[in-house]
């Protein structure tokens, strides 16, 4: 290639190539953990001469702006011969802007309008089956813990050819299984209105089957399900231990799969863990594609909160903003269920409405305190000290001592952070219980652990493990 050709290639260097070089340097400078936490899930959006780094969440966007944006600008300028200006936004900032990289988010209200815009028969059919309008693909927040299940669900809903049948989504209560199943049903009906889509919960499957037996209408029941092009059953674990219902589900599953019809189910556990389920049925559930949905990681929980806040803001007519420490508290406190996570945000907005942006961490904790579990409300600072000391192979007295060695100071800060998170004690009160320390020491510990959790995956795991242990 001539020098002129090389210059031309450089001049037309795609933004993605420039961003890739920038990220290589950033990963070396920041370290894998920090880079992965804040920049690993960022994407590059290019539209004409406009180039934008799109952070996974608003919290990630703010961290990048405060801690890495100047360096990113320097590296971008060094690697981009076209001198393009680089912008920074979060995914939610671009919710209403179509982009090739970032999927535009749609609030529950918009989803409902889209569903209403379908053929009236399709919309009516979905509602009669109990489908919820707010559970669509565009309102589903994906991340590392659920992205494979999300991709599989999209593929099933598009009626794409696939070798895996049935598909079973499994995971803990409240982490999006029902959302995905509803989204598959809506999308499948939208793309192929002529196809027969049947959605029902396993409980409804059971009760309808029992009534059909009583009314001697079992043939009609069988035909209703076995004529489906796509059968979706939620919470299939519900049929475990119900002999006749399991047999009927087994026969339905066999007939549909052998005929090339699609079947998608959800369960709270992997099929091989459904010990009360009839072995033949369990074996057929395992024979297809089993997709686990893991508990959402912290970044995904923050993304879910931001999406939910945006929806609530649209409904209430206020600006979708909240203090970072409040969202971080919710993401760290409500780790067991997305429903609980969203419910906590609902509670705050119901109490303060449009003033959510001014709500402090202490105020948020006070509002949510009555909603914490009884076992959690009984956790004391003394209990926290004992659990933390045991975890780090220390004595409780070490945490109260004046010793400043890192092997003791860091666990002490962790214990203070935990005390602030899950007890009703004030900062001065917590300080007094840690050897008479000042409240500013406790505040520094809380902020320090909050920052370190984003950069240190080992510490983050320790804190998460301790939270779960203390909450029973």
């Amino acid at each position: 290639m001539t020098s002129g050709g090389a210059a031309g290639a450089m001049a037309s260097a795609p933004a993605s190539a420039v961003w890739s070089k920038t990220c290589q340097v950033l990963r070396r400078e920041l370290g894998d953990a920090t880079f992965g936490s804040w920049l690993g899930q960022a994407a590059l959006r290019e539209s004409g001469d406009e180039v934008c780094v799109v952070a996974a969440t608003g919290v990630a966007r703010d961290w990048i702006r405060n801690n890495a944006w100047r360096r990113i600008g320097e590296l971008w300028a060094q690697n981009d011969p076209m001198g393009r200006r680089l912008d920074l936004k979060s995914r939610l900032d671009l919710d209403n802007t179509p982009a090739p990289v970032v999927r535009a988010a749609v609030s529950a209200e918009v989803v409902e309008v889209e569903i209403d815009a379908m053929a009236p028969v399709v919309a009516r059919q979905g509602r009669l089956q109990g489908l919820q309008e707010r559970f669509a693909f565009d309102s589903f927040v994906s991340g590392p813990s659920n992205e494979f299940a999300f991709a599989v669900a999209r593929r099933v809903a598009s009626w794409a050819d696939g070798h895996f049948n049935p598909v079973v989504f499994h995971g803990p209560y409240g982490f999006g299984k029902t959302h995905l199943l509803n989204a598959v049903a809506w999308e499948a009906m939208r793309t192929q209105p002529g196809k027969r889509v049947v959605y029902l919960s396993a409980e409804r499957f059971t009760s309808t089957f029992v009534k059909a037996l009583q009314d001697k209408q079992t043939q009609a029941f069988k035909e209703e399900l076995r004529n489906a092009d796509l059968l979706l059953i939620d919470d299939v674990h519900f049929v475990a231990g119900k002999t006749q219902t399991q047999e009927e589900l087994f026969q339905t599953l066999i007939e549909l799969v052998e005929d090339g019809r699609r079947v998608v189910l959800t369960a709270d556990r992997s099929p091989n863990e459904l010990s009360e389920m009839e072995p033949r049925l369990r074996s057929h559930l395992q024979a297809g594609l089993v997709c686990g949905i893991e508990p959402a990681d912290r970044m995904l929980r923050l993304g879910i909160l931001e999406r939910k806040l945006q929806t609530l803001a649209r409904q209430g007519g206020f600006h979708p903003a909240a203090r970072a420490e409040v969202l971080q508290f919710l993401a760290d406190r409500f780790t067991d269920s997305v429903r609980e996570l969203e419910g906590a945000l609902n509670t705050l907005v119901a109490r303060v409405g449009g003033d959510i942006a001014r709500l402090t961490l202490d105020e948020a904790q006070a509002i949510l305190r009555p909603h914490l579990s009884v076992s959690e409300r009984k956790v004391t600072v003394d209990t926290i000290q004992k659990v933390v000391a045991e975890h780090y192979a220390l004595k409780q007295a070490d945490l109260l001592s004046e010793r400043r060695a890192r092997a003791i100071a860091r666990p002490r800060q962790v214990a203070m952070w935990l005390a602030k998170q899950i007890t009703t004690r004030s900062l001065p009160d917590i300080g007094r219980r840690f050897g008479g320390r000042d409240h500013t020491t406790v505040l520094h510990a809380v902020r320090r652990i909050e920052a370190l959790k984003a950069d240190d995956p080992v510490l983050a795991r320790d804190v998460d493990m301790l939270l779960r242990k203390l909450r029973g």
Side-chain angles (χ1 to χ4, degrees), residues 38 57 59 175 295-306 323-338 340-342 344-345 348 361 364 368 417 421 450 453 460 463-464 467-468 471:
W38 301 108
T57 68
V59 175
F175 276 101
D297 62 18
R298 189 172 190 256
M299 191 64 71
L300 180 55
R301 293 196 297 271
L302 286 168
I304 290 168
L305 285 170
E306 291 184 345
R323 295 190 181 191
E325 60 265 28
V326 171
L327 295 182
Q328 289 166 356
F329 162 70
L330 295 179
D332 289 326
R333 165 57 188 83
F334 298 94
T335 60
D336 295 332
S337 165
V338 171
E340 291 182 4
L341 180 68
E342 293 184 335
L345 183 59
L348 295 182
L361 176 58
L368 293 173
W417 183 90
Q421 291 290 314
E450 195 64 54
K453 281 199 299 129
V463 169
D464 193 53
L467 277 170
R468 292 178 185 276
R471 289 170 179 159

Side-chain angles (χ1 to χ4, degrees), residues 70-244:
R70 178 177 296 178
R71 181 56 176 156
I72 289 172
E74 293 172 353
L75 294 170
W76 180 266
Q78 292 171 14
N79 291 298
D80 183 22
M82 298 174 66
R84 286 165 290 199
R85 179 179 174 276
L86 191 64
D87 199 3
L88 172 65
K89 294 183 179 179
S90 73
R91 289 180 185 172
L92 289 180
D93 292 335
L94 299 174
D95 266 352
N96 297 314
T97 305
V101 176
V102 182
R103 180 171 51 85
V106 182
S107 73
E109 297 90 339
V110 177
V111 171
E112 186 166 351
V113 169
E114 288 184 351
I115 291 170
D116 282 330
M118 296 179 191
V121 174
V122 172
R124 184 166 61 253
Q125 178 191 355
R127 288 171 177 141
L128 286 173
Q129 293 188 74
L131 293 173
Q132 299 184 54
E133 291 92 338
R134 64 193 180 95
F135 287 157
F137 282 128
D138 282 330
S139 60
F140 188 85
V141 182
S142 63
S145 62
N146 60 25
E147 59 188 357
F148 177 61
F150 181 69
V152 170
R154 294 298 296 258
R155 184 169 179 79
V156 172
S158 70
W159 300 96
D161 291 334
H163 302 291
F164 303 110
N165 200 18
V167 172
V168 180
F169 297 115
H170 73 88
Y173 168 83
F175 276 101
K177 301 186 301 295
T178 297
H179 190 146
L180 276 183
L181 212 60
N182 274 254
V184 169
W186 284 122
E187 183 70 7
M189 289 191 296
R190 186 186 69 80
T191 55
Q192 293 283 353
K195 297 279 192 179
R196 180 167 173 73
V197 177
V198 177
Y199 166 89
L200 70 168
S201 66
E203 184 176 6
R204 186 177 169 194
F205 178 97
T206 301
S207 61
T208 306
F209 175 61
V210 170
K211 189 173 189 309
L213 286 173
Q214 294 170 344
D215 297 343
K216 296 181 170 45
Q217 296 290 325
T218 54
Q219 189 58 39
F221 175 81
K222 294 176 190 292
E223 291 176 357
E224 173 74 14
L225 297 184
R226 298 180 192 183
N227 286 331
D229 294 295
L230 172 61
L231 175 64
L232 305 113
I233 299 180
D234 203 10
D235 293 332
V236 72
H237 53 271
F238 181 83
V239 306
K242 300 174 175 65
T243 305
Q244 284 184 292

Side-chain angles (χ1 to χ4, degrees), residues 242-293:
K242 300 174 175 65
T243 305
Q244 284 184 292
T245 304
Q246 289 185 87
E247 178 63 24
E248 180 59 31
L249 178 58
F250 173 75
Q251 295 299 336
T252 299
L253 181 63
I254 291 296
E255 186 163 329
L256 288 173
V257 170
E258 288 184 349
D259 199 32
R261 314 293 183 97
R262 303 296 181 84
V263 182
V264 184
L265 312 102
T266 70
D268 62 354
R269 286 155 286 161
S270 176
N272 63 0
E273 296 176 356
L274 297 173
S275 56
E276 295 182 5
M277 186 169 280
E278 202 274 330
R280 289 189 307 163
L281 177 56
R282 187 170 67 239
S283 175
H284 275 78
L285 293 180
Q286 292 175 268
L289 178 59
V290 179
C291 300
I293 300 177

